Structures are given as C-alpha cells and as structure tokens.
Amino acid sequence: MKTKRGIFAVSTVVVAAAAMFASTIPAQAAAVNLKIGTIHPLTGGNADYGIGLNSAAEFGAESVTKAMKKAKIAGSCKIVAQEDDQATPALAVEAATKLVKSDKVNAIVGPLTSGSTLAAAQSVAVPNNVVMIATAASSPAVTTFADKDLLFRTYPSDAFQAKVIVKALQNSIGKKGTINIGARNDAFGTALANVLTNEWVRGGGDVGQKVLWNPENATFDSEAKLLTDKAPDAWVFVDFPDTFAKVGPALKRTGKWDPTKTFMTEAFNNEAVIQTIGVDIMAGVKGTSAISIGIKADRWKNARKKAKPNTKETFVDGSGYDATVLLCLAALHGKSVKSDSLKKSLRAVSGANGGKNIPWTKMAALVKAAAAGQAFTYQGAWTTAKFDKAGDTVGALFKVYNVEADGKITSDPKNNIRF
Amino acid sequence: MTDLIQYLFNGLVVGSIFAIAAVGISLLYSVLRLVNFAAGDFLTLGAFITYFFSVTIEINFFLAIIISMGAGMAISWFLELVLWRNLRRNKAGTLALFLVATGVALMLRPIIQYVFGTETRKFNVDILKTYDFLGARIAHTQLMVLIFGSLAIMTIALFMSKARIGKDMRAYANNPSLAAVSGVNVDRVVMATWLISGALGSLAGVFQGLVQGQFNNAMGDTLLLSFFAAVVLGTIGDAYGALAGGILLGLFMELSQLAIFFGGVPSNYKPVVAFATLVLVLLFKPEGLFGYRTRKV
C-alpha cells in the first residue's frame, strides 16, 4: 500500500513539474496557425500592383513562418488563398465572401483600391467579424467608415496626399491659380477631389471645373471638352490607369490640354502604365505618390527579388509585406487568431502602445517579442504603422514625380514631403 | 453653337454604337423572345478578334473587321445549332432561355480572358488625329465610327425593309404562327437573326474599341445596360426602334452636358439622364417610342 502511495506521489510531482515546465514555453503549448486570404487585382489595368502586393504578402508570411521555426515557436502564418477583384467593388465582395465562407480565413490582406476595400469591408468583413488590412486604399472615407475596429490600412490617407498635391501645385503655379480637377466617380476619386478642392481653395486658389466621370462611360470626349474649354493654370486628375487610358487620348484630342501643367495621383507612378497609356500622351505629366518610409527599403526589395524572382516590382509592394507581417505578429502576440485578439494585438505590435523599435530585418527578434506578448514597434519595409483609433497609419512620405519625354519616371528627393 | 455641334457629334458617335448593338439584341428578342445577356461579350470578342488579325497578324484593318464579323456570325451559328435550337425544341420557357443566355455570358467572359489576356489593347489606328469642323474637334476614329456606323445602320434598315429574309424576320416577329403557315422558313429566319446579331455585335465592339482608343476584356460588360435601355426606349422587339433608341440615348446623354440644360448636367449623372429619359418615355408611352398600343376589345 505504501509503495502504491509512493508511486502516486512521485507521479503527481512529475506531472506537476512537467506542467510547470510546459508553461514556461507558452508558444509551444498553444500553436497559432493564422490563415490569411488576399484580395488584389490580378487582372486588368491594376494587375501589376496586385501581383506585386500578393508576392510581397507571400514573402511576409514565409519570412515570419521561417523565423518562427528557427525560434522553435510552434504554429504558422500562411496565405491560404489569393483572390482577384480586378479593382472592382462587386468582385471584391465576391472574393471576400469566398475567403471568409469557403476558405475560412482569419484575416484579409487587401484590397488595393478604396472602392473595393469599403465594399468588401461593409458587405463581408465587418458582418463576419474578420480583420482586414487594406494595402493601398487611400480614401479618407476609410478613416470614417464604421468598421467595428476591423479595418486597418498600411497606406496613408489621401488627407495627406491632397496636401502634397496642393503644395506641388503651389510650387508650380503659385497660390492664386485656377485648377481644373478631373476624377473618377468612385470612393477614391470623389473623396480625393473633394479634399483637394477644399485644400486648394483654403490656400487661396480657385477651382474652375470639377468633372467626375463614370469609369464605364462609352466615351470621354465630352468630359475632356469640359475640362479644357477654359484653360486653367493647371489640371489635376485622380484616376486609375484603365480609365485614364481612355480619358488621356480624349484630352489630347481637344488640342487644349497641356500635360506639362498636369498633376496626377500615385497609380501613374509606374513606367509600364505610362507605356500602356502612351508616352505621347503622358510625357510631361507630374504626379505625387506615397513612397516607403520603411527601414532599409532597398534591402527589402533585394530580399524579395531573391525570394520571388519572377515578380514585377511596383512602388507599393512593401505595403503588402507589412500588412501580412503585422497580422502574423499580432496572432503570435495575442496567441489567438480570433479577430478580437488580432485587432487588439495589431496595435501592440505596430507601435501604437509604444515599446522598443524592431525592424523587419530582425524577424527572429520580432517573433520572439510577439510570442512573449511584449508591446513593440514593428518598423516595416513600407511603413511604421502605429495604427491609430481609426486603423490608419500615422506617418507618410510623398514624392513628386515627373514623366520624362521617353516615358521614364524621375523624382528629386529634395521635393519629398514627410508627415 | 460650337458646343452644340461638338456634343451633337459626340452623341451621334456614342448613339451609333448603342444603336448597332441594340438592333442585334432587339432582333433576337423579337424573333426568339430571348434576352441576350451575352451581347456585351460578343462586343468584347469582336474587338479582340479584330485586334488579333490587324495587330498581331498584321493584316488590313478593314479585312480584320470583316473576319471579326464573320467570327461573330460563326460563333452565333454554332450556338444556335448546339444550344438554342435544342432548347426551343424542348420548349424552354423565357426564364430558361434568359438563364442560359446569362450562362453563355458567364462562360464567354473567362474564355475571352484566357485566350486574349487582360492587358489593355489598342488598334493600329491613330487615335489622336483630329479634324476641325465648324469649330468642333472631331477625332479620326469618331469619324470612322460615324461613317461606317451610318452605313451599317442604313444597310440594316434596307435589309429589313427590302430583302426577302428581312421581311420574313419582321413577319415572324409580328406573328410567328401566321408567318409559319404563310410559308416563312422558320429555321432560316432564326439562323439569319443569329448571324446578323453576331456580326453586329462584333462590329459594335470594334467601333467601341476605336472611340475609346484602348480596350480590355471588361469592355462589353460595362455597356450592356445602355444597350438594353436603347432597346426598351425604341420599343422592345422593334429593330427600327432599337436603331432610333440607341441614337437618341447617345444624344440625350451627351447633349445633357450643354449649359442650356440647367447649366449643364454633371458628367457623372449621364446615366441618370439616360434612365430618367427612359422612365419618362415609358411613363407616357409604355410600349416605347415606336410601339403601338394594342387595343383591348
């Protein structure tokens, strides 16, 4: 009987000791397997951006998983499905529905455009309580959207971009000039056109014509006529390549449009896009575009190129990488893939709650800090997000680019504007 | 005055494209009671086939258009033989036909995307060349569309009124049973309707690609609603009505931007103008602009 009691006592001590030992390695005890789905345009005029962002997101998930294995942290972070929305809101809703209902993803990276982002968030992500990090949605409407704190973005708001365009315009034509604004009639175009109008008028300028066009119009000659009838001091166009490929020739045909007095948005910060629309149409155009404020962005580009050699680069790819890495780190931090935990932890790892800076180059340190539940500031390849209450990233850097006569895009870093 | 000429011209160009596409849709409805939801995809296909022959293979542009129209006819002929004829023989109802047409559209879209890709394409035509006309600026491509579009519209009108098969089509559309007992060859009429519809769809696609300057695989889908609006405006099932409906719709949309209309309707409300016009017309003339009311006895 005594022997039996002794065996029982020893067993109890061994089990208790084993339990205590296990509790000191929390990550191994609760493996976190995060399933991410992406929504980006993989076909159509914005496909270059979508393909680049997807590749960057894959690279991000692979980097985190590799670092987790090295640090012997159980679990994984995987891109389980990549959907194509062709930068179209209706297709983004379909894509999000498939990701949430069929692929059962825990979080979504993307979409690229504001229209798609708002549609997918409103119809799918918010009702199904799924966290989304948009990769290039810039509309101020994303900030004010009632998202139950589920919608984040790694790309800066157009509230910044409007200021940058106004500054570039003022440098070019002075504060009192008249501008004509042409914009696509969607969440991105209308919001930026409105913010831009307010900023320009507040600065002392005048808006002559503001023309919003429907991207599905049969022709754009009447819109081009309205925009060029009374020659302004400058034009600003807020559009995507697919549509401007039709608007641009119509403007040129009026014989009254001067590309050298024209400012455009970030989608045209791409030489392939300039070639598609036509160098004879776009030569001389200027534009503004958010650029990376990430740490060692060139080193990241090289690392991504090595990991994904067949992907065409675009300026915004790092945003997809950061969105994915932040989600993976948030899952590790909260030790959960549930949305309530993810959205709380996204702030803890993005720097919103303070903590030491850890750059993307130190992935092992990042995953260890996250697994230990520490608050820290992830310094990404694109941005240091520090998500605010609306899920927006707090900092931004913009450049002013020029389309040269041969279609090449150049910029002078001296003209960059930081917020 | 210059503004009026410019918008009038823009409206006629847009209207010509609407008219040519709408007449194909209207003919199919009048003869087969089929709402062809694949019409937009036939447009896209027509533009891509023309692009393939004129840009990739580098044959004459006009020859490429003819080949493209031929291809549109061949695909329509094939679909009639393997699909539509069997559905009619199995007494498929209007709803079944409508669903199958939607299915054909949903099949055609990915096929076009798979074969031709999603890149933006343009024809080897100078899209920036313009002519001055009474102060208005007219693009070379717009002029091409207006001239060849007018020729196509006149040919259709002549065909419907003078050619035997055209008269048979109208007779069959008016009263299928009476036409059949009067010796109208129904299969021949149906096949001719499909062939004309396929050819016109391709032609409208080329015209749309020309006036846009560039096009991609989504071109046709975005215009489908306007085509249906033209058909309804001009009276459903009336080929002449569809021609007129298309041109009127294009004119309403473009002319609404003239300053005399409340200072000019903003461009983003062009579809509102089109559909408000449609609603107004239907309110006072439910049978469409060119229809006649059937008196109840």
Side-chain angles (χ1 to χ4, degrees), chain A residues 32 129 131 150 152 327 329-349:
Chain A
V32 174
N129 203 30
V131 170
L150 290 160
F152 296 76
L327 278 168
L329 294 176
L332 276 176
H333 179 270
K335 297 172 185 59
S336 168
V337 295
K338 287 187 177 161
S339 58
D340 287 344
S341 169
L342 283 177
K343 59 191 191 187
K344 201 172 153 194
S345 292
L346 272 172
R347 291 202 169 77
V349 301

Side-chain angles (χ1 to χ4, degrees), chain B residues 182-202:
Chain B
S182 306
V184 168
N185 184 335
V186 175
D187 280 345
R188 198 163 150 254
V189 163
V190 171
M191 187 56 88
T193 309
W194 273 114
L195 294 179
I196 292 167
S197 169
L200 291 178
S202 290

